[in-house]
Structure formats: C-alpha cells, structure tokens
C-alpha cells in the first residue's frame, strides 16, 4: 500500500531501519530561510556588501581559501 497512512504505520511500528526523504529546492522557504536565486530576495541578489567577484563565490571553496571572511560574516547573520 503506497498511502501516507501506510507509510506512517511502518514508521511508527519500527519496521523501517532507514528513511530517505527527497525534496525540492524550495522546501526551506516556508520556514523563512531565503532561497538563493530569486531576484531581489534571494541570497545571491543580496551579497553586494561582500564585494565578491560573482555571487556564488561566497560558497566556492577556492574563493574561501583566499578570502574566508565573507562566508563567516554571512554564516553569522
């Protein structure tokens, strides 16, 4: 049976040992966490104060090795 109720019964009965949940990119937005790409409100649209060469640099490991401060400042916000 592939209903939500059937799944819940399996979870509650401890029949399942591992559960994997696949979600879309917008799952966190309902919790108030901004997305990355929305013009005006996305994280990548609001990184001007970090003076980055490109928005994704804030999460680029190569850029982080050269200049980690922007990542740590953003993470602290």
């Amino acid at each position: 049976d592939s209903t939500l109720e059937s799944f819940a019964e399996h979870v509650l009965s401890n029949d399942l040992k591992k559960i994997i949940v696949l979600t879309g990119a917008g799952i966190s937005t309902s919790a108030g966490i901004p997305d990355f790409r929305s013009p005006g409100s996305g994280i990548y649209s609001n990184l001007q104060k970090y003076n980055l060469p490109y928005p994704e640099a804030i999460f680029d490991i190569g850029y982080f090795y050269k200049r980690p401060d922007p990542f740590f400042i953003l993470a602290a916000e």
Side-chain angles (χ1 to χ4, degrees), residues 22-65:
L22 303 175
T23 66
I27 189 110
S28 57
T29 56
S30 64
I33 299 170
D35 66 19
F36 287 86
R37 294 179 181 89
S38 291
S41 63
I43 291 175
Y44 289 154
S45 292
N46 295 290
L47 297 174
Q48 297 83 3
K49 65 183 174 183
Y50 300 109
N51 198 23
L52 301 168
Y54 52 96
E56 295 85 354
I58 197 106
F59 300 116
D60 183 312
I61 193 67
Y63 188 79
F64 176 81
Y65 286 142

